[in-house]
């Protein structure tokens, strides 16, 4: 691979990691004023792709909503008194209940990878925000486990979860869901190629 091609690849991977971190942040909590302003001021190159359209939709929605509205909407859509409109956990989407087999499998793989649950969060590890954070760290580390981790713990459900969020009645969170769905589908296409080119797999110790 030429130096120019390697540089382009590194830039693309850095952008992927940043998108995962943004999704994680917005799924876990409503944006603060700085992040909302940054989103509203985004300059998006319209290349005809679904991702570009979704970025535009999120940016437009950020221009017409307040922090207070987003705080209420985040609680309603993603938290709730018992549960929100969307339940962003792998075990819910894959097993129909919280704290089920998908979480057990995830904990096993996280242990092998050396990830430890933060003492500052009460959410189970299979929250979509947490999985996005793990993917960002794997990309930053140039880990060969990216494709396997995505295929095992995100591919079976993340796009569907984001698509469900894309149907809520708050424009900002609907746009976030649509962006997340498009991004997960693009990651599926990218990483399925990578998975076919490597024999590296996580194994239980």
């Amino acid at each position: 691979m030429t130096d120019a091609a390697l540089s382009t690849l590194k830039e693309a991977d850095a952008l992927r990691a940043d998108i995962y971190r943004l999704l994680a942040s917005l799924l876990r909590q409503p944006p603060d004023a700085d992040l909302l302003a940054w989103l509203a001021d985004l300059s998006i190159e319209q290349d005809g792709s679904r991702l570009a359209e979704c970025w535009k939709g999120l940016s437009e929605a950020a221009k017409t909503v307040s922090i207070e509205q987003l705080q209420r909407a985040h609680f309603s859509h993603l938290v709730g008194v018992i549960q929100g409109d969307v339940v962003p956990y792998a075990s819910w989407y894959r097993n129909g209940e919280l704290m089920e087999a998908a979480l057990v499998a995830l904990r096993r793989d996280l242990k092998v990878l050396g990830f430890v649950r933060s003492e500052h969060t009460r959410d189970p590890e299979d929250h979509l925000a947490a999985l996005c954070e793990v993917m960002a760290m794997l990309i930053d580390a140039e880990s060969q486990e990216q494709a396997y981790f995505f295929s095992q713990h995100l591919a079976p459900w993340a796009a569907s979860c984001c698509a469900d969020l894309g149907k809520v009645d708050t424009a900002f969170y609907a746009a976030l869901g649509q962006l997340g769905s498009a991004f997960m589908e693009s990651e599926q296409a990218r990483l399925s190629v990578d998975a076919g080119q490597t024999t590296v797999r996580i194994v239980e110790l």
Side-chain angles (χ1 to χ4, degrees), residues 113-185:
L113 284 168
F115 289 102
V116 178
R117 182 181 179 183
S118 171
E119 298 177 355
H120 304 294
T121 180
R122 293 174 293 178
D123 288 325
E125 296 91 327
D126 63 338
H127 192 290
L128 183 53
L131 296 182
C132 286
E133 290 166 349
V134 171
M135 280 299 298
M137 287 185 280
L138 290 175
I139 294 168
D140 287 341
E142 300 181 2
S143 172
Q144 291 182 305
E145 303 291 7
Q146 292 175 52
Y148 178 82
F149 188 87
F150 183 90
S151 70
Q152 293 299 302
H153 302 296
L154 281 163
W157 71 284
S160 295
C161 177
C162 290
D164 287 343
L165 184 60
K167 300 172 186 175
V168 300
D169 58 7
T170 302
F172 181 88
Y173 282 102
L176 174 64
Q178 291 158 15
L179 173 65
S181 178
F183 179 66
M184 292 300 169
E185 289 174 2

Side-chain angles (χ1 to χ4, degrees), residues 10-31:
K10 286 184 177 295
E11 289 177 3
D13 283 344
L15 177 59
R16 289 173 56 226
D18 284 344
I19 294 173
Y20 273 115
R21 277 188 284 266
L22 176 65
L23 291 175
S25 176
L26 293 175
L27 288 165
R28 195 178 292 284
Q29 61 194 14

Side-chain angles (χ1 to χ4, degrees), residues 87-128:
V87 184
Y89 294 92
S91 54
W92 181 267
Y93 272 83
R94 301 184 68 179
N95 308 124
E97 297 286 345
L98 296 175
M99 308 292 286
E100 288 294 327
L103 178 58
V104 174
L106 172 64
R107 284 174 171 169
R108 179 194 65 221
D109 284 349
L110 289 175
K111 182 178 180 181
V112 174
L113 284 168
F115 289 102
V116 178
R117 182 181 179 183
S118 171
E119 298 177 355
H120 304 294
T121 180
R122 293 174 293 178
D123 288 325
E125 296 91 327
D126 63 338
H127 192 290
L128 183 53

Side-chain angles (χ1 to χ4, degrees), residues 31-38 67:
D32 60 20
D34 289 340
L35 179 53
L36 191 62
W38 180 82
I67 296 295

Side-chain angles (χ1 to χ4, degrees), residues 22 32-46 55-65 172:
L22 176 65
D32 60 20
D34 289 340
L35 179 53
L36 191 62
W38 180 82
L39 288 168
D41 289 339
L42 276 179
S43 178
I44 299 110
E45 180 182 350
Q46 290 302 307
W55 277 113
K56 180 181 178 182
L58 184 62
S59 181
E60 291 297 321
K63 296 175 182 177
T64 59
V65 71
F172 181 88

